[in-house]
């Protein structure tokens, strides 16, 4: 390693402040950006990084870890004695992840078997999406289905006889990658997530299917945004390119194209909220709502969950990312959670509600929302970094009841041994 290479934050001698600076730089953030997200002045961040002030208390450390998307608490604070690593923002790794990874890396030999019909693969994908939205253990089910779906979709593309058949097969293959991206997200293999996102985008573009291209852009934009502020511009550019493609034909577009257009607008709002651009964030949210009101009342997009029922959930996320405590609670209180037909999306909304209540200092209500999230879809909260952060912080609460509730949740979601 060259002498001017940045230090590795895993090395024990690296102080807490240095680790903060390393991770901040890796995320492409300025001190001003980090300070804004933490509710401090840039001078405070400088004092932390230079060691002018000591290591903050646990709640502040957890907020720093959340913003910097640090996977393990020990990666930020160092290995204190012989304490075990505490996972934070990436899930523990699903038992079926190795099989899914192997399927994504496999290239079956030509002629090994005949590809299933497009009608068969379409029905199989429909069943997989229904299972994802309806099952509390959705990752287990999808992880079991994905290896076969990935293999069948690949065979369909390779054995297509005409250009038209190939485009149709590519659209189906892109959709299997979309399903895979939901499975691999927030698991301890970021490179696999990017591989899936890129393959989905390539297959979508080659399919020339407007709806599929829109979904690929929606998922890829999320992957960029989750990589940190240094990648917000890429997320926005993907969304804007897709909207420029979709919006001219919106008045006469099929329902699925209308829905992905609305979902993309909502994503633009969330990215703007992460930038603390209040007017732009709510403007995009309102434009997304305009699309949702043109859809049938019970419409539900099988990939993005977009529809009228989810707009309240998007409102909570926008307010939370803007760090608007009162507004986030107002949005959380008025959102109709039970109207969201997808169990994992409903659980994710409960987690966003918990973030809103926590931001407003309503910690008991936040824990109650997390308990509801666990009841709706245990595998969603198990892999959600925000939920794990709140639970971990509350296990150290000075209030016995909160500490006990958080400890039970920590056991339930696999953070602590029973």
């Amino acid at each position: 390693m060259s002498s001017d290479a940045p230090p590795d934050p895993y090395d024990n001698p690296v102080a807490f402040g240095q680790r903060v600076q390393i991770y901040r730089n890796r995320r492409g953030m300025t001190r001003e950006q980090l300070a804004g997200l933490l509710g401090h002045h840039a001078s405070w961040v400088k004092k932390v990084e230079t060691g002018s002030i000591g290591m903050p208390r646990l709640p502040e450390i957890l907020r720093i870890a959340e913003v910097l998307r640090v996977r393990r608490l020990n990666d930020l604070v160092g290995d204190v004695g012989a304490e075990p690593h505490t996972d934070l923002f990436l899930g523990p790794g699903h038992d079926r992840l190795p099989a899914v990874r192997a399927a994504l890396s496999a290239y079956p030999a030509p002629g090994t078997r005949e590809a299933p019909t497009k009608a068969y693969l379409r029905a199989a994908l429909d069943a997989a999406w229904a299972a994802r939205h309806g099952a509390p253990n959705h990752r287990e089910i999808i992880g079991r289905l994905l290896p076969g779906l990935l293999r069948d979709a690949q065979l369909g593309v390779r054995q297509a006889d005409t250009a038209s058949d190939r485009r149709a097969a590519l659209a189906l293959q892109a959709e299997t990658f979309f399903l895979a991206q939901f499975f691999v997200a927030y698991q301890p293999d970021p490179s696999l997530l990017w591989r899936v996102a890129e393959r989905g985008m390539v297959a979508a573009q080659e399919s020339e299917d407007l709806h599929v291209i829109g979904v690929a852009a929606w998922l890829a934009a999320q992957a960029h945004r989750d990589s940190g502020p240094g990648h917000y511009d890429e997320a926005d550019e993907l969304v804007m390119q897709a909207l420029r493609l979709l919006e001219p034909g919106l008045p006469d577009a099929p329902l699925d194209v209308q829905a992905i257009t609305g979902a993309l607008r909502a994503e633009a709002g969330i990215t703007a909220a992460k930038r603390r651009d209040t007017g732009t964030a709510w403007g995009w949210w309102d434009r997304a709502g305009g699309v949702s009101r043109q859809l049938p009342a019970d419409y539900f997009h099988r990939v993005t969950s977009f529809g009228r029922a989810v707009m309240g959930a998007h409102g909570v996320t926008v307010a939370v990312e803007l760090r608007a405590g009162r507004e986030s609670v107002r949005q959380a209180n008025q959102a109709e959670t039970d109207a969201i037909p997808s169990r994992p999306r409903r659980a994710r909304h409960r987690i966003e509600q918990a973030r809103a209540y926590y931001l407003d200092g309503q910690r008991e209500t936040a824990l109650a929302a997390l308990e509801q999230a666990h009841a709706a879809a245990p595998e969603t909260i198990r892999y959600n970094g925000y939920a794990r952060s709140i639970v971990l912080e509350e296990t150290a609460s000075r209030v016995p009841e909160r500490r006990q509730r958080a400890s039970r949740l920590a056991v339930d979601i696999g953070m602590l041994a029973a």
Side-chain angles (χ1 to χ4, degrees):
M1 181 179 295
S2 63
S3 59
D4 60 350
D8 189 335
Y10 295 96
D11 289 342
N12 290 340
V14 180
F16 172 77
Q18 291 175 288
R19 291 168 185 265
V20 172
Q21 183 176 13
I22 292 165
Y23 280 113
R24 175 176 62 77
N25 289 332
R26 286 187 178 182
R27 304 295 287 177
M29 299 173 68
T30 65
R31 281 175 175 162
E32 288 75 14
Q33 288 173 322
L34 177 57
L37 292 169
L38 295 172
H40 287 290
H41 192 274
S43 61
W44 182 88
V45 175
K46 182 178 180 179
K47 290 177 181 178
V48 169
E49 292 183 348
T50 59
S52 298
I53 58 177
M55 187 184 299
R57 294 173 61 86
L58 179 60
E60 195 72 64
I61 292 172
L62 291 173
R63 281 192 287 272
I64 294 171
E66 175 185 346
V67 171
L68 297 179
R69 301 297 291 172
V70 178
R71 177 184 171 189
R72 298 181 302 185
L73 185 61
N74 306 66
D75 293 345
L76 192 61
V77 302
D79 289 322
V80 182
E83 293 181 6
H85 289 297
T86 303
D87 287 336
L88 288 175
F89 299 104
L90 286 175
H94 198 279
D95 289 345
R96 295 195 179 273
L97 180 59
V100 173
R101 184 190 296 113
L104 287 165
S105 302
Y107 294 91
T112 53
R113 70 179 184 84
E114 186 176 354
T117 65
K118 291 192 291 292
Y120 175 89
L121 189 53
R122 174 71 270 161
L125 281 167
D126 288 343
W129 286 116
R132 180 188 180 270
H133 291 299
N137 60 331
H138 51 94
R139 285 183 187 266
E140 170 63 25
I141 292 175
I142 297 306
R144 186 168 63 244
L145 295 175
L146 270 173
L149 287 170
L150 290 163
R151 180 189 63 241
D152 288 347
Q154 186 180 79
L155 287 172
V157 172
R158 293 181 64 170
Q159 296 179 19
D161 294 325
T162 66
S164 176
D165 285 344
R166 178 176 170 78
R167 287 193 297 271
L170 282 163
L172 292 170
Q173 185 182 46
E175 195 170 331
T176 63
F177 289 134
F178 302 159
L179 194 65
Q181 188 165 340
F182 279 101
F183 177 83
V184 302
Y186 307 117
Q187 296 200 52
D189 195 342
S191 64
L192 186 62
L193 173 66
W194 282 110
R195 191 192 315 172
V196 171
E198 290 171 357
R199 289 186 182 180
M201 180 66 77
V202 170
Q205 290 173 337
E206 292 186 2
S207 78
E208 301 180 13
D209 184 305
L210 291 180
H211 170 249
V212 176
I213 292 171
V215 175
W218 182 81
L219 283 165
Q222 290 189 354
H224 278 287
R225 191 179 64 226
D226 287 347
S227 296
H231 299 270
Y232 290 174
D233 287 346
E234 289 96 328
D236 274 337
E237 184 57 28
L238 279 168
V239 169
M240 298 310 148
Q241 287 179 358
L243 288 175
R244 286 193 291 270
L245 179 66
L246 298 175
E247 287 184 333
L250 190 59
D252 301 316
L255 288 180
D256 58 358
V257 174
Q258 293 182 46
I260 191 56
T261 302
L264 286 162
R265 290 177 175 180
E267 286 304 306
I270 293 171
T271 304
K274 283 182 171 289
R275 285 194 172 104
R276 306 293 181 83
D277 188 345
T278 301
T280 301
W282 288 118
W284 279 113
W285 178 78
D286 189 58
R287 292 182 66 190
V291 174
S292 73
R293 290 188 289 275
Q294 300 301 313
L295 299 171
D298 60 348
Y299 178 86
F300 172 75
H301 190 264
R302 66 175 173 269
V303 181
T304 68
S305 299
F306 189 80
R308 294 190 195 181
V310 84
M311 285 310 302
H314 283 310
V316 177
T317 300
V318 168
V320 168
E321 295 297 349
L322 288 169
R323 301 292 179 180
R326 289 187 178 181
E327 179 60 22
S328 63
V329 168
R330 189 183 74 82
Q331 292 285 343
N333 288 339
Q334 70 180 16
E336 298 181 5
T337 308
D338 293 338
I340 300 174
S342 167
R343 292 183 72 129
R345 186 62 184 87
R346 195 158 63 243
R348 179 183 159 202
H349 173 49
R350 290 294 191 191
I351 294 168
E352 294 296 280
Q353 286 181 314
R355 293 179 68 197
Y357 294 129
Y358 212 69
L359 184 63
D360 197 51
Q362 301 182 39
R363 302 198 166 194
E364 293 85 355
T365 310
L367 285 173
L370 292 180
E371 289 166 346
Q372 290 173 315
H374 184 264
E379 288 192 342
T380 294
I381 187 172
R382 182 179 178 87
Y383 291 88
N384 187 280
Y386 297 120
R388 294 165 70 88
S389 172
I390 293 173
V391 170
L392 182 61
E393 183 173 337
E394 284 302 291
T395 57
S397 172
R398 296 181 179 179
V399 180
E401 183 181 355
R402 291 208 325 249
R403 188 168 62 247
Q404 291 168 6
R405 292 177 72 179
S407 297
R408 286 194 296 268
L409 266 173
V411 172
D412 290 341
I413 66 179
M415 294 179 68
L416 297 175

